[in-house]
Each structure stands twice: as structure tokens, then as C-alpha cells.
């Protein structure tokens, strides 16, 4: 009788340790990690970027905002203030981000790679604007991940035309100071299309 029970238990154990149950368990663990870990969410988004998702939506036909944009000021770690008026004549890439934001973390390597292509171009400026309210934390994030992007903090109110509360939000201004690109959510900015778009704007 005992041998029959053991055989039955073995059969039940084999049914429990099936391929479908293992896959289900892995999925449950993965989804739980996605809920509690910003790094896991960021890793997932980066993996999707590698297969061609999260491409920037570039509209070359017209600028997003035809009216003059309000001036906005930012402050670097040394207290130096930079405003948009002083950057007129340059193509300006502005990214509003936070260290607690998984999509921000996910797109940062692509922004850093894009920046490396234009860092020596005096006609292009990158503004990585921390909306955390914690400059040191954001600067430490850049250093920890070996990104060469400079962190800035808002030195004035950010008008809704630039950002309506969602992070990440990325905008690009042309040399005339008009907004020609705006996107809420993560994107793979180290794309051929984006590189060509910025090069075109510099001419």
C-alpha cells in the first residue's frame, strides 16, 4: 500500500515539475521583480529597444510650437545658470528625467551614446534636467554608470509647453529656438534617424 502511495506521489511531483509550471513560476518571479525593481523595469525596456521598439517619433515636416517659447533657466552643480536664450543658435537636446524613473534609466545609455557623437560639436547642447530635486543623487547616478552627461537642475519654473509632468520627457529645439521634437516616455535616441535629424538641424 505504501509503495502505491509513493508511486502516486512521484507521479504528482512529475506533473508539478513540468515545463509549463516552471515557465509560469519564472514569469511570476519576473513580474514581481518588475513591480518592485526600477532596475528590472529599465533592463526590460532596454531589451525591447535592442529589438527595435521605443524608436523616437520624428516629424520633419513642421515644428511642434511655432510661437516663441518662454525662456527657461537651469543651474549646474557649480551654481552657474544657463538659460535657453543664451543657447539660441544651437540645437538644444533637453531631457527631463529622474533617478526613480525606470524609463529614464532605460533610455540613458542611448542618450549618452548620442551625446558622445556630438560632444565636440559647438552647435549642439545637451541639457539633462533632474526633476528629482536632488542634484547630488542624480550626479552620483551619472558617475556610477560612467555616463558623461552633465546634470542640471531647474532654476526657474518649467512651463507646460516643455513638460506636463511625465518623465522622461525629451524636447529638441532648433537653432531658431523653436521646438521641433517632443516625446513623453522612453526612446532609443542612439538611432541613425535621430543622429541624422540632429545633423540636419545644425546646417
Amino acid at each position: 500500500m505504501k509503495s502505491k502511495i509513493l508511486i502516486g506521489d512521484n507521479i504528482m511531483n512529475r506533473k508539478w515539475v513540468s515545463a509549463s509550471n516552471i515557465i509560469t513560476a519564472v514569469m511570476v518571479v519576473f513580474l514581481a521583480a518588475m513591480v518592485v525593481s526600477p532596475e528590472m523595469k529599465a533592463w526590460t525596456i532596454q531589451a525591447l529597444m535592442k529589438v527595435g521598439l521605443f524608436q523616437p517619433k520624428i516629424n520633419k515636416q513642421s515644428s511642434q510650437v511655432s510661437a516663441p517659447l518662454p525662456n527657461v533657466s537651469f543651474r549646474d552643480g557649480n551654481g552657474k545658470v544657463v538659460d535657453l536664450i543664451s543657447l539660441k543658435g544651437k540645437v538644444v537636446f533637453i531631457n527631463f528625467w529622474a533617478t526613480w524613473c525606470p524609463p529614464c534609466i532605460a533610455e540613458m545609455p542611448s542618450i549618452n551614446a548620442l551625446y558622445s557623437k556630438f560632444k565636440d560639436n559647438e552647435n549642439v547642447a545637451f541639457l539633462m534636467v533632474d526633476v528629482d530635486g536632488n542634484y547630488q543623487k542624480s550626479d552620483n547616478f551619472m558617475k556610477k554608470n560612467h555616463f558623461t552627461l552633465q546634470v542640471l537642475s531647474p532654476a526657474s519654473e518649467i512651463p507646460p509647453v516643455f513638460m506636463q509632468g511625465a518623465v522622461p520627457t525629451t524636447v529638441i529645439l532648433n537653432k531658431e529656438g523653436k521646438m521641433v521634437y517632443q516625446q513623453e516616455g522612453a526612446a532609443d535616441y542612439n538611432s541613425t534617424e535621430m543622429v541624422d535629424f540632429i545633423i540636419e538641424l545644425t546646417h
Side-chain angles (χ1 to χ4, degrees):
M1 185 70 179
K2 286 184 179 178
S3 62
K4 288 183 179 177
I5 292 171
L6 288 173
I7 291 169
D9 287 345
N10 287 337
I11 292 170
M12 290 197 59
N13 285 338
R14 284 196 206 103
K15 286 182 178 178
W16 172 247
V17 188
S18 65
S20 62
N21 285 340
I22 292 171
I23 292 170
T24 301
V26 170
M27 288 298 294
V28 169
V29 171
F30 176 75
L31 291 172
M34 285 277 287
V35 171
V36 299
S37 171
E39 290 78 13
M40 179 62 77
K41 290 181 183 178
W43 179 86
T44 303
I45 295 171
Q46 285 176 355
L48 293 173
M49 285 179 179
K50 289 177 182 177
V51 298
L53 299 180
F54 293 97
Q55 293 303 303
K57 303 172 183 69
I58 298 172
N59 179 6
K60 296 183 180 180
Q61 301 305 314
S62 61
S63 63
Q64 299 286 327
V65 178
S66 57
L69 292 168
N71 190 31
V72 184
S73 299
F74 309 98
R75 184 177 289 107
D76 68 15
N78 297 318
K80 180 183 176 183
V81 175
V82 178
D83 60 33
L84 293 183
I85 287 178
S86 68
L87 295 174
K88 198 167 184 181
K90 298 176 183 286
V91 176
V92 184
F93 181 104
I94 310 173
N95 180 260
F96 299 97
W97 69 287
T99 56
W100 48 260
C101 161
C104 302
I105 297 171
E107 70 177 3
M108 201 61 71
S110 73
I111 297 176
N112 192 68
L114 180 68
Y115 168 73
S116 69
K117 292 179 171 66
F118 292 98
K119 64 181 180 180
D120 296 323
N121 190 325
E122 60 183 16
N123 294 315
V124 183
F126 280 72
L127 306 180
M128 303 302 297
V129 183
D130 154 55
V131 297
D132 250 346
N134 189 334
Y135 173 88
Q136 197 59 55
K137 184 178 179 182
S138 298
D139 190 51
N140 288 342
F141 170 87
M142 292 296 189
K143 291 173 181 173
K144 177 184 174 183
N145 290 281
H146 306 290
F147 297 140
T148 53
L149 297 158
Q150 182 185 21
V151 176
L152 299 169
S153 299
S156 65
E157 185 176 346
I158 300 172
V161 69
F162 287 98
M163 174 188 157
Q164 298 187 9
V167 287
T169 292
T170 300
V171 300
I172 297 176
L173 310 182
N174 65 13
K175 293 195 291 186
E176 288 74 45
K178 292 184 178 180
M179 190 182 297
V180 292
Y181 176 88
Q182 183 177 44
Q183 179 159 323
E184 292 183 351
D188 180 4
Y189 289 104
N190 190 31
S191 66
T192 301
E193 187 178 12
M194 178 56 72
V195 172
D196 291 345
F197 180 56
I198 292 178
I199 290 172
E200 185 179 321
L201 291 173
T202 62
H203 294 156

